[in-house]
Amino acid sequence: MPFITTTDGVEIFYKDWGTGQPIVFSHGWPLSSDDWDTQMLFFATNGYRVIAHDRRGHGRSSDVADGHDMDHYADDLAAVTAHLDLRDAVHIGHSTGGGEVVHYLARHGEDRVAKAVLIAAVPPLMVQTEANPGGLPKSVFDDLQAQLLANRSEFYLSLAAGPFYGFNRPGVETSEAKVRNWWRQGMMGSAKAHYDGIVAFSQTDFTADLEKITVPTLVMHGDDDQIVPYADSGPLSARLLRNGTLKTYSGFPHGMPTTHADTINADLLEFIRS
């Protein structure tokens, strides 16, 4: 399996399929690059080179005690792009991966990047503060950590079977296969990485990062997102970006790249080709 080793000795697993303009995918918490399989297969068959990595402590990458913060996430992504010498790349991030993409662009520059896409992403800031009164109270994220500590397996099962994919909404049929695949990916990773990652995705303020980004950026968000609520995320990010476009999806859940893959893939392809 392909790995790179970071400067602090962490082995990062990655997938690299196809040829053509590179599209780089950054996954959400607490998943792995496998969460992008539908998108990677779609774009590989449409003439693109597709790359996705497992974040440190997630999937097949090293289970390390430290470095579960946005600085390290961005640096690990930069290490993958440098190792593969990716240029003119389109970076696509879902949820926590959207924060990773934003911080990577702001921290490492845009020389290698053509465009970016943020899907149901955590920026600008999830937690409620005086400057961000619309955010979620810190107690929400403390409770996520408490549930992880109590029984990670049960917690992940209930999250996937409920709000992540919107399966808790009236009239929405649960897909057992999607739930099992989410749980499988989550349990592959490190409990320590996932515990610390809750702080990383909820308390990192990406406002200044968003303001630095100049490449065309598509912000995609469902207005029924129960994980990263729409009003305090997608529209605010789009306004902070210098070259941002917001696309809102009526009734779509947080996990919309999986539940509505055909729609998301078609819109991504249109944006990349435009």
Side-chain angles (χ1 to χ4, degrees):
M1 292 192 293
F3 288 89
I4 66 154
T5 303
T6 65
T7 54
D8 60 340
V10 177
E11 288 193 324
I12 301 293
F13 168 83
Y14 66 91
K15 302 176 183 180
D16 182 4
W17 306 342
T19 58
Q21 184 181 14
I23 303 176
V24 185
F25 296 91
S26 291
H27 65 78
W29 175 97
L31 305 173
S32 73
S33 57
D34 291 355
D35 205 44
W36 290 113
D37 281 353
T38 302
Q39 282 71 40
M40 291 182 70
L41 288 168
F42 173 81
F43 283 100
T45 57
N46 275 278
Y48 292 90
R49 180 184 179 187
V50 292
I51 300 98
H53 69 291
D54 292 354
R55 189 170 298 120
R56 63 171 59 206
H58 296 64
R60 289 139 292 208
S61 292
S62 294
D63 182 350
V64 290
D66 302 314
H68 306 298
D69 55 71
M70 282 294 163
D71 284 353
H72 283 88
Y73 294 168
D75 292 351
D76 292 348
L77 176 56
V80 173
T81 61
H83 174 76
L84 298 176
D85 194 26
L86 303 179
R87 301 183 184 278
D88 194 35
V90 178
H91 279 263
I92 300 175
H94 175 239
S95 194
T96 299
E100 178 179 285
V101 168
V102 165
H103 202 52
Y104 160 74
L105 291 171
R107 187 172 169 88
H108 292 276
E110 302 173 340
D111 290 350
R112 296 178 176 270
V113 181
K115 296 180 179 181
V117 183
L118 310 178
I119 305 177
V122 297
L125 174 62
M126 285 199 71
V127 73
Q128 185 181 71
T129 64
E130 285 188 14
N132 185 44
L136 296 171
K138 184 175 178 294
S139 59
V140 171
F141 305 106
D142 293 342
D143 181 60
L144 295 180
Q145 288 185 311
Q147 291 184 68
L148 191 153
L149 281 173
N151 191 321
R152 185 167 66 127
S153 178
E154 235 175 54
F155 171 44
Y156 287 177
L157 195 62
S158 65
L159 194 59
F164 193 92
Y165 291 125
F167 292 149
N168 58 339
R169 293 306 197 202
V172 177
E173 184 178 352
T174 298
S175 167
E176 187 66 25
K178 290 180 174 64
V179 171
R180 289 185 183 187
N181 190 42
W182 199 100
W183 181 90
R184 174 190 67 84
Q185 292 178 71
M187 295 305 293
M188 284 171 65
S190 159
K192 178 65 162 61
H194 297 170
Y195 184 86
D196 292 351
I198 292 170
V199 174
F201 74 65
S202 66
Q203 296 186 31
T204 302
D205 188 343
F206 299 95
T207 301
D209 290 344
L210 289 162
E211 291 172 339
K212 290 179 183 177
I213 296 170
T214 64
V215 296
T217 304
L218 177 63
V219 180
M220 309 168 78
H221 218 110
D223 65 6
D224 194 33
D225 191 324
Q226 299 173 69
I227 305 299
V228 182
Y230 172 82
D232 199 52
S233 51
L236 300 185
S237 289
R239 285 201 292 270
L240 288 164
L241 290 159
R242 298 189 204 180
N243 197 2
T245 301
L246 174 65
K247 192 169 183 67
T248 303
Y249 295 84
S250 178
F252 280 24
H254 186 66
M256 63 185 190
T258 297
T259 58
H260 296 78
D262 289 348
T263 298
I264 298 303
N265 290 352
D267 288 349
L268 287 171
L269 183 61
E270 180 182 4
F271 174 69
I272 291 168
R273 286 178 171 173
S274 66

